[in-house]
Amino acid sequence: MTTIRDVAKLAGVSVATVSRALNNSGYVSISAREKVEKAVKELNFYPNEVARSLFQKKSKLIGLLLPDITNPFFPAIAKGVEDCVNERGYSLLLGNVEGDSEKQEKYLRIFEQNNIAGVISAVQGNPINLKNMPFVSLDRINEEQKYVVHSDDFLGGQLAAQAIIDGRAKKVVIMAGPENVSASKVRLKGNKDILDRYAVPYEIFQTESFHLDLAEETAKAVFNQLSEFDSVIASNDIYGLALITEAHKRGIKVPEELQVIGYDDMPFSKMMTPPLTTISQPAYEIGYKGAKLLCNVMERDSVTEKRIQLPVTLIKRETLREKDEHE
Amino acid sequence: MTTIRDVAKLAGVSVATVSRALNNSGYVSISAREKVEKAVKELNFYPNEVARSLFQKKSKLIGLLLPDITNPFFPAIAKGVEDCVNERGYSLLLGNVEGDSEKQEKYLRIFEQNNIAGVISAVQGNPINLKNMPFVSLDRINEEQKYVVHSDDFLGGQLAAQAIIDGRAKKVVIMAGPENVSASKVRLKGNKDILDRYAVPYEIFQTESFHLDLAEETAKAVFNQLSEFDSVIASNDIYGLALITEAHKRGIKVPEELQVIGYDDMPFSKMMTPPLTTISQPAYEIGYKGAKLLCNVMERDSVTEKRIQLPVTLIKRETLREKDEHE
């Protein structure tokens, strides 16, 4: 690897001069600067991040905490985060937490050991030991956090309930997402707000997790434990999908006998049979805007909006019944 | 942050002694070692990775290159990689390349700047500038690479073709994956080997990409450009899924009039309607075993198997016609 010594040698100046030129600190004559720049170009020299990090006590690394990388919502967020931090000259240290608080603590320790410049997290809760580290929370936010980016979960909950009512719901099952996830609780509030307003009866089925592996057994449990429902508001697209599959197995027609709405609009939800009606939230944009906010905080740029809420939209497809226009 | 100086002070020994004790290098008396260990515990001290990295010219970071983090196959690989490297005390620097060779070069430069200890890559090709860096290639491998982990794509191609023939294929369309991806080429060879052996006519539809966003228009193109086929071997589950959706739109019954087999067995493929028949490859295991191989290479442990091939299996569901037992 080319070192700062090679650059100094080729440029015919001291190592200290090269260092001052590269860090834009202290006096360097114009001719020395030109020589250094020429040598840097010729040798294709990139300063070692580790040396820079040790000197400045801060690296160009950002820690990314995700709850579950196999849930397609989070890779979409990660892609947005990555695109933005790369533009700003940072790289991502990956931490896939999977609901394991010990694992999260371990990641945070590793992040600290690597002098990371900031943390961006889609995991619920306030990591301890972060102290004054720049920190942005995505999606699973809470009231106390200073910097957050999320979508409008209350509106999402309302839109889902309204769409189900438009499909002539007589009895609704709300599959409520995990209780420890803030977004689930807010969506549930949105659901109830509308269902109560129209006095549509509903039952709540509490799910433990958003995990892919549990979707099928959860769908079975809904049918085994509840009865006489004609509408389901699923906790996300995967759970909606599992529910439709289970309905088919039981000879229940979707949407004629059972209508289902998902949440997230995952890339493959439009390719279902029937294509899944769902609430779309802008995962990539949540990631991108969250990373931009973090970079601005880290670089002490002016931050006008500290808590950013993005819109959600109803994506009508074919798993809800048609609205009865004559009613 | 607690520093090595705090540890030395509490232990009542010199900084150099603490350093020797922590790095297991040079002589440290038993009593000094005990004092250091006690102080480390008491202060909850973790050595700064950056300082260690600069000193040893090698960090505890591994660079992970992925072709596309939104294709569910790769998060599953990433999870396997992460679980293994964490067990071995390493962390991952994420690089989502998306077929952009400039982006890849940029990541490799960032990896180098961070003194990474090794690279694990699911991107096709041999990264230049890696020199003697420990490097393991996953899935999209080539002949020249020393350390690889992949699944048996030839057998996968054969199994898919055999299953299609068992479903009484009269004319087959092979959606061949991108030509620059080795796994696609090998699978195609496996397909042809069996179809030729049984003299079943086929046409090849060359796809440009595995990208999610292109699946729907590719499915449309298959139907627009080709005709009179009753069987499709799709390049992966997502493309198979898009094809089934397009068939439904055109009033073509799956599997009666058109049978389709996918590839990968993504977590949601069993939740399709009808559930997708596919070839399962062990994505998590590819990641885990690849990371284990890399760690062994980096740590100069004995490596008995340098090129690891994992088995694939046919997962029979409902998108192929039943075998005619009377024929």
Side-chain angles (χ1 to χ4, degrees):
Chain A
M1 204 172 72
T2 310
T3 69
I4 195 168
R5 271 171 242 287
D6 302 320
V7 175
K9 204 173 163 190
L10 185 67
V13 300
S14 71
V15 168
T17 303
V18 176
S19 171
R20 285 201 301 275
L22 291 176
N23 291 305
N24 273 320
S25 68
Y27 174 75
V28 185
S29 72
I30 293 171
S31 82
R33 187 176 297 277
E34 277 169 0
K35 282 180 202 157
V36 170
E37 279 169 8
K38 201 166 156 253
V40 162
K41 247 189 189 159
E42 212 170 310
L43 294 168
N44 200 22
F45 173 72
Y46 297 97
N48 183 284
E49 263 308 312
V50 176
R52 207 192 55 74
S53 162
L54 190 70
F55 178 70
Q56 300 189 355
K57 303 251 190 274
K58 207 178 274 180
S59 73
K60 296 290 267 183
L61 300 176
I62 290 171
L64 171 67
L65 293 176
L66 297 179
D68 176 8
I69 199 173
T70 63
N71 175 341
F73 183 60
F74 297 109
I77 283 187
K79 190 175 168 180
V81 170
E82 207 196 20
D83 283 354
C84 178
V85 303
N86 284 350
E87 282 166 22
R88 303 280 288 251
Y90 294 90
S91 303
L92 288 180
L93 262 178
L94 181 63
N96 185 36
V97 170
E98 300 186 62
D100 182 340
S101 60
E102 260 184 51
K103 218 170 165 185
Q104 172 163 325
E105 285 312 305
K106 198 180 147 198
Y107 281 123
L108 289 169
R109 206 160 63 214
I110 291 167
F111 289 171
E112 192 186 38
Q113 286 174 316
N114 283 287
N115 286 1
I116 54 156
V119 173
I120 190 156
S121 169
V123 176
Q124 190 74 57
N126 297 326
I128 48 170
N129 292 331
L130 267 182
K131 292 165 201 160
N132 296 319
M133 175 76 70
F135 175 69
V136 171
S137 185
L138 304 180
D139 182 48
R140 301 182 177 183
I141 61 159
N142 68 38
E143 289 299 317
E144 301 147 35
Q145 287 158 344
K146 194 168 171 190
Y147 302 107
V148 306
V149 181
H150 65 119
S151 65
D152 189 343
D153 288 301
F154 187 73
L155 178 63
Q158 286 182 313
L159 290 176
Q162 187 62 58
I164 282 276
I165 290 173
D166 288 346
R168 291 165 282 127
K170 292 209 176 66
K171 188 178 157 201
V172 180
V173 169
I174 304 173
M175 290 176 76
E179 285 184 294
N180 60 345
V181 173
S182 58
S184 306
K185 283 199 289 192
V186 178
R187 281 181 218 163
L188 178 59
K189 269 190 204 166
N191 296 151
K192 285 175 166 182
D193 176 61
I194 297 291
L195 294 174
D196 286 339
R197 203 181 299 176
Y198 289 88
V200 175
Y202 58 86
E203 277 193 90
I204 294 168
F205 183 95
Q206 185 61 53
T207 62
E208 298 293 311
S209 156
F210 282 122
H211 206 283
L212 277 166
D213 292 345
L214 301 174
E216 285 179 295
E217 63 185 75
T218 305
K220 277 196 189 83
V222 169
F223 285 101
N224 289 341
Q225 290 171 31
L226 304 174
S227 59
E228 288 171 27
F229 54 92
D230 67 350
S231 306
V232 174
I233 299 174
S235 47
N236 68 15
D237 281 7
I238 291 164
Y239 279 65
L241 187 53
L243 206 92
I244 291 170
T245 307
E246 187 60 26
H248 285 147
K249 280 186 192 158
R250 290 168 186 248
I252 299 166
K253 280 182 197 153
V254 175
E256 295 81 356
E257 298 170 279
L258 180 68
Q259 56 175 357
V260 179
I261 186 166
Y263 209 102
D264 287 346
D265 193 23
M266 294 187 185
F268 51 85
S269 298
K270 61 184 167 192
M271 300 182 214
M272 302 295 107
T273 308
L276 186 67
T277 296
T278 187
I279 305 296
S280 165
Q281 46 173 343
Y284 179 90
E285 212 182 340
I286 290 173
Y288 192 94
K289 293 215 164 160
K292 194 173 162 189
L293 180 58
L294 181 65
C295 289
N296 287 342
V297 171
M298 291 185 315
E299 293 167 8
R300 289 170 196 177
D301 283 356
S302 69
V303 173
T304 47
E305 215 181 343
K306 294 179 181 173
R307 295 179 69 93
I308 299 170
Q309 182 173 277
L310 299 172
V312 296
T313 44
L314 170 67
I315 307 291
K316 283 188 192 175
R317 295 198 185 106
E318 297 169 29
T319 55
L320 295 192
R321 290 182 289 266
E322 289 294 310
K323 192 170 177 173
D324 189 344
E325 301 293 351
H326 304 289
E327 264 180 32
Chain B
M1 206 170 71
T2 309
T3 69
I4 193 168
R5 270 171 242 287
D6 302 321
V7 176
K9 204 174 162 190
L10 185 66
V13 300
S14 72
V15 169
T17 303
V18 176
S19 173
R20 284 200 302 277
L22 291 176
N23 291 305
N24 272 321
S25 67
Y27 174 75
V28 185
S29 72
I30 293 172
S31 82
R33 188 176 297 278
E34 277 170 359
K35 282 180 202 157
V36 170
E37 279 168 9
K38 200 166 156 253
V40 162
K41 247 189 190 160
E42 212 170 310
L43 294 168
N44 199 20
F45 173 72
Y46 297 97
N48 183 283
E49 264 308 312
V50 175
R52 208 192 54 75
S53 162
L54 191 71
F55 177 70
Q56 300 190 354
K57 304 252 190 270
K58 209 179 272 179
S59 73
K60 295 291 267 183
L61 300 175
I62 289 172
L64 171 66
L65 292 176
L66 297 179
D68 177 9
I69 199 172
T70 63
N71 176 341
F73 183 60
F74 297 108
I77 284 187
K79 191 174 167 179
V81 170
E82 206 195 22
D83 283 353
C84 178
V85 303
N86 284 350
E87 282 166 20
R88 302 281 287 252
Y90 295 90
S91 303
L92 288 180
L93 262 178
L94 180 63
N96 184 37
V97 171
E98 299 186 62
D100 182 339
S101 59
E102 260 184 52
K103 219 169 162 183
Q104 173 162 324
E105 285 312 306
K106 199 180 146 194
Y107 280 124
L108 289 169
R109 207 159 62 215
I110 291 168
F111 289 171
E112 193 186 36
Q113 288 174 315
N114 284 288
N115 287 2
I116 53 156
V119 173
I120 190 155
S121 169
V123 176
Q124 190 73 57
N126 297 327
I128 48 170
N129 293 330
L130 267 182
K131 290 165 202 160
N132 296 320
M133 175 76 70
F135 175 70
V136 170
S137 185
L138 304 180
D139 182 48
R140 302 182 177 183
I141 60 158
N142 68 38
E143 289 300 317
E144 300 146 35
Q145 287 158 344
K146 196 168 170 189
Y147 302 107
V148 306
V149 180
H150 65 118
S151 65
D152 190 343
D153 289 300
F154 187 73
L155 177 64
Q158 287 182 313
L159 290 175
Q162 186 63 58
I164 283 276
I165 290 172
D166 288 347
R168 291 163 281 129
K170 292 208 173 69
K171 188 176 155 201
V172 179
V173 169
I174 305 173
M175 290 176 78
E179 285 183 295
N180 59 345
V181 173
S182 58
S184 306
K185 283 199 289 193
V186 177
R187 281 181 218 163
L188 179 58
K189 269 191 203 164
N191 295 152
K192 284 173 164 183
D193 176 61
I194 297 292
L195 294 174
D196 285 340
R197 203 181 299 177
Y198 289 88
V200 175
Y202 59 86
E203 278 193 89
I204 294 168
F205 183 95
Q206 184 61 54
T207 61
E208 300 290 312
S209 157
F210 282 122
H211 206 282
L212 276 166
D213 292 345
L214 300 174
E216 284 180 295
E217 62 184 76
T218 305
K220 278 196 188 81
V222 169
F223 285 100
N224 289 341
Q225 290 170 32
L226 304 173
S227 59
E228 289 171 26
F229 54 92
D230 67 349
S231 304
V232 174
I233 298 175
S235 46
N236 67 16
D237 281 6
I238 291 164
Y239 279 66
L241 187 52
L243 205 93
I244 291 170
T245 307
E246 186 60 26
H248 285 147
K249 280 187 193 160
R250 291 168 186 247
I252 299 165
K253 280 181 197 152
V254 176
E256 296 81 356
E257 298 170 277
L258 179 68
Q259 56 175 358
V260 179
I261 186 166
Y263 209 102
D264 286 347
D265 193 24
M266 295 187 185
F268 50 86
S269 298
K270 61 183 166 192
M271 298 183 215
M272 302 295 107
T273 309
L276 186 68
T277 295
T278 188
I279 305 297
S280 166
Q281 43 172 347
Y284 179 90
E285 212 183 341
I286 290 173
Y288 193 93
K289 293 215 163 158
K292 194 174 164 190
L293 180 57
L294 181 66
C295 290
N296 287 343
V297 171
M298 292 185 314
E299 291 167 8
R300 289 172 196 175
D301 283 356
S302 69
V303 173
T304 46
E305 214 182 343
K306 294 179 181 174
R307 296 178 67 94
I308 299 170
Q309 184 173 273
L310 299 173
V312 295
T313 43
L314 170 67
I315 307 291
K316 283 189 193 175
R317 295 199 184 106
E318 296 169 29
T319 56
L320 296 191
R321 290 182 290 264
E322 287 295 310
K323 193 170 177 174
D324 188 345
E325 301 294 350
H326 304 289
E327 264 178 31

